[in-house]
Amino acid sequence: MYFDEYIQKLTREPLPAVVLFYGDSESVISESYQQLRKTFKSKSPDGTINLFEGGEAQLAEMLSGAQTASLFATKQLLVLRGAEKALGGRSEAAQGRLMDYFENPSPDSTLVFAANGLRKSSKIVAYLEKKGWAVQCSDIPDWKLAPWVRQQAKSLGLELSEEAGQALIQKTGPDIAYLNRALEHLALFIHPGKKPKLQDILDLPIPGTEAEIFPFLDAIGARKTEKAIQYLHAMAP
């Protein structure tokens, strides 16, 4: 499946036993994981997230951790970043470990693999797709980007016109992580409004720049505590 199909599944279906993010867009892989993390914390506030970094040894440790239920949480998200190191190339050993795990998988654990550069033709992709979700992470084509931005805006309660959507893309660039963050800032920027104008887009501080601090400082100066806190969270990495 592709990113847009994945987002629909994420909002409608329970998390599967395994999720694989693979392909040539590191940005889309990163955003896909962030959306998964947000959904997991929403559905399982007391759940735990454990991060591992590449390599077969880390894969073995991850699978061992998946079998061990936390004393303090019933759900676990176990994430192997740089998973192409363990799953790419001749991945028979990795697939063998996974096959052993899936003979008796933990019902409370979701395995997540972020494998930048891993190809769809890899056997491990076909195997993991049978066990859960395999999300092919490629840059969203230009013709899909504007409708996607407007749909994301709608999920935040914003009514974004086609002109405003194109202006946001031109200002922020096509990186979906930046676009998502820009939309979150836009929702705060025009609050309590819901229909951003073209001028709102032009005046919006671009995410990731020093200009982000100014709306935060303005809110503090106006003693709008709640809005200042919202801006602070939005600036957090």
Side-chain angles (χ1 to χ4, degrees):
M1 77 180 79
Y2 291 97
F3 179 78
D4 50 352
E5 300 172 84
Y6 156 71
I7 293 297
Q8 292 179 14
K9 276 183 172 288
L10 195 59
T11 56
R12 297 174 184 172
E13 301 180 15
L15 296 184
V18 60
V19 181
L20 168 67
F21 301 121
Y22 72 99
D24 54 10
S25 177
E26 188 171 355
S27 170
V28 178
I29 289 175
S30 175
E31 183 62 20
S32 297
Y33 166 66
Q34 292 301 329
Q35 293 293 328
L36 177 64
R37 183 180 182 278
K38 186 185 298 183
T39 299
F40 175 76
K41 295 304 290 183
S42 173
K43 292 181 177 180
S44 305
D46 297 325
T48 58
I49 299 176
N50 300 307
L51 300 177
F52 302 86
E53 293 288 344
E56 288 189 22
Q58 290 294 300
L59 173 61
E61 186 177 342
M62 175 193 192
L63 296 177
S64 175
Q67 295 283 22
T68 306
S70 170
L71 295 176
F72 306 102
T74 58
K75 296 292 183 181
Q76 294 187 98
L77 200 67
L78 299 103
V79 185
L80 184 64
R81 299 187 296 198
E84 66 277 3
K85 298 171 187 176
L87 305 182
R90 298 180 62 84
S91 56
E92 289 84 357
Q95 186 164 334
R97 289 184 185 277
L98 288 165
M99 290 176 70
D100 289 342
Y101 169 77
F102 280 113
E103 285 183 3
N104 184 30
S106 167
D108 296 321
S109 299
T110 294
L111 308 180
V112 182
F113 298 102
N116 185 32
L118 193 66
R119 299 298 175 190
K120 185 176 178 61
S121 56
S122 172
K123 291 181 180 179
I124 199 75
V125 172
Y127 174 73
L128 291 176
E129 195 165 24
K130 293 177 182 177
K131 300 297 181 182
W133 299 346
V135 185
Q136 187 169 0
C137 297
S138 303
D139 290 328
I140 297 178
D142 291 344
W143 64 273
K144 274 189 172 184
L145 197 56
W148 178 81
V149 166
R150 295 181 70 190
Q151 183 60 41
Q152 288 299 106
K154 187 177 180 180
S155 71
L156 293 171
L158 299 176
E159 296 181 34
L160 196 66
S161 68
E162 186 173 346
E163 182 184 31
Q166 290 289 358
L168 187 66
I169 294 169
Q170 289 176 10
K171 182 167 187 173
T172 307
D175 187 297
I176 62 170
Y178 279 104
L179 282 167
N180 259 334
R181 198 169 177 197
L183 286 169
E184 291 171 354
H185 280 226
L186 180 61
L188 292 173
F189 191 64
I190 67 167
H191 181 80
K194 297 296 181 183
K195 296 181 180 181
K197 300 175 183 177
L198 179 59
Q199 192 60 46
D200 294 325
I201 305 296
L202 298 177
D203 293 340
L204 181 70
I206 299 174
T209 68
E210 291 182 4
E212 291 182 65
I213 194 68
F214 296 115
F216 169 66
L217 294 176
D218 288 343
I220 291 178
R223 297 186 178 181
K224 296 179 180 178
T225 305
E226 183 178 350
K227 196 163 187 177
I229 291 173
Q230 288 177 324
Y231 275 121
L232 182 62
H233 284 310
M235 289 188 293

